Amino acid sequence: MQTFLIFLVAIFGYAEYFLFGRAQTYRPIVMCAITGLVLGDLSQGVIIGAQMELAFIGVQEIGLSTPQDMVSASIIGTSIAIQSGGNFSTAITFGLPVSMLVLLVQNLVYILISPLFVKKCEEIAAQGRTRTFSRFSFWGGTLLHFGPSIVLVTLTFVLGNVFAKTVVGMIPNFIQDGLVVASGILPAFGFAMLLEVIMKKDVLPFFFIGFLLVAYLKIPIIGIALLGVSLIAFMYFYDEKHAAKAQPEGGDDNEF
């Protein structure tokens, strides 16, 4: 049952690309939490997801670049960490290699198989079979690009315990120590990238307001989040109301 549920989680993660648009459901904060829920440890899944989110915070698709696969790293890393009683270091240690393997398979598909698939789509389009072209390009392209990744994630989960013990036994202690150190650096690096985005004059005052509220008034993070939502709502409705007042009367009559 857990294997089937992990299979569904992998489908949900990759479905972000062709069903949800850019809802960010493939991010570690979502994938790790769902994986933890499937394995019966939601709290640990959320903790690992939050830490892994910092490690992957700068991973975005830019142009033709293909970043590391966060879905496989989140699912496999979290599952092995929970099953072995590990933590974020364990998740990163096993999640990153799997994500690189999935990325390699995806690139091979893009280079070797996708051109043949596109050629077939062009033949169908040339015949004027619009409905067949639409179905073939959407579902065929989806299965072609993400089917192998889903299968790899599921197989790695099935072999997880044996795979983890075998790999850990083969890794020298000094390399494991280096991976632990790297797992501590990655969140700090991701947080530094986040701060670089925050350090703008339009955003910086809100950052310091939140920091002061937490540091001196001891307001929980949930309270800060709700306060932020309230401020955003106030700013949105205030700007909307101000814009409506600024509009001259009879403005709609002048539109053609």
Side-chain angles (χ1 to χ4, degrees):
M1 179 58 69
Q2 282 187 346
T3 302
F4 177 70
L5 291 176
I6 290 296
F7 174 74
L8 295 180
V9 172
I11 292 178
F12 176 77
Y14 290 112
E16 198 268 352
Y17 291 93
F18 59 92
L19 289 181
F20 307 132
R22 282 300 180 185
Q24 303 298 315
T25 56
Y26 70 105
R27 300 294 302 188
I29 192 67
V30 178
M31 289 288 97
C32 295
I34 298 177
T35 303
L37 179 63
V38 169
L39 298 178
D41 196 346
L42 176 60
S43 60
Q44 186 66 10
V46 172
I47 293 172
I48 294 175
Q51 293 174 306
M52 192 172 288
E53 185 68 36
L54 289 175
F56 284 95
I57 198 168
V59 177
Q60 295 289 342
E61 294 181 3
I62 301 176
L64 297 177
S65 65
T66 305
Q68 295 176 353
D69 186 76
M70 287 180 285
V71 175
S72 58
S74 301
I75 295 176
I76 298 304
T78 304
S79 63
I80 293 179
I82 292 177
Q83 291 175 339
S84 62
N87 51 19
F88 170 64
S89 300
T90 306
I92 283 291
T93 301
F94 293 101
L96 286 180
V98 173
S99 69
M100 297 304 296
L101 175 62
V102 171
L103 180 61
L104 175 63
V105 172
Q106 290 177 355
N107 285 331
L108 289 177
V109 171
Y110 293 153
I111 295 173
L112 300 178
I113 303 178
S114 290
L116 300 177
F117 177 78
V118 172
K119 183 178 180 181
K120 183 63 178 179
C121 289
E122 291 176 347
E123 293 177 357
I124 296 175
Q127 297 172 4
R129 298 156 58 189
T130 57
R131 183 173 299 180
T132 302
F133 172 79
S134 178
R135 293 176 179 176
F136 186 77
S137 60
F138 180 82
W139 293 109
T142 299
L143 292 175
L144 175 67
H145 292 152
F146 301 114
S149 302
I150 296 172
V151 172
L152 274 175
V153 171
T154 306
L155 288 178
T156 307
F157 175 78
V158 173
L159 302 175
N161 289 330
V162 177
F163 174 76
K165 292 179 181 178
T166 303
V167 173
V168 168
M170 296 173 59
I171 299 177
N173 291 331
F174 73 92
I175 295 182
Q176 294 188 39
D177 294 338
L179 291 173
V180 172
V181 174
S183 66
I185 294 176
L186 284 175
F189 180 73
F191 193 70
M193 297 180 65
L194 178 61
L195 287 176
E196 185 179 2
V197 177
I198 293 177
M199 294 301 173
K200 296 181 179 180
K201 62 179 182 179
D202 296 334
V203 182
L204 194 59
F206 296 99
F207 171 76
F208 282 108
I209 290 173
F211 172 77
L212 294 174
L213 291 175
V214 173
Y216 293 97
L217 299 182
K218 308 300 181 182
I219 299 179
I221 297 298
I222 297 298
I224 298 297
L226 294 176
L227 177 61
V229 172
S230 302
L231 287 175
I232 292 173
F234 172 77
M235 294 170 63
Y236 174 78
F237 290 113
Y238 176 79
D239 291 341
E240 189 177 56
K241 184 178 180 180
H242 184 71
K245 289 183 177 180
Q247 183 177 0
E249 295 183 1
D252 296 338
D253 297 334
N254 295 329
E255 293 181 359
F256 181 77

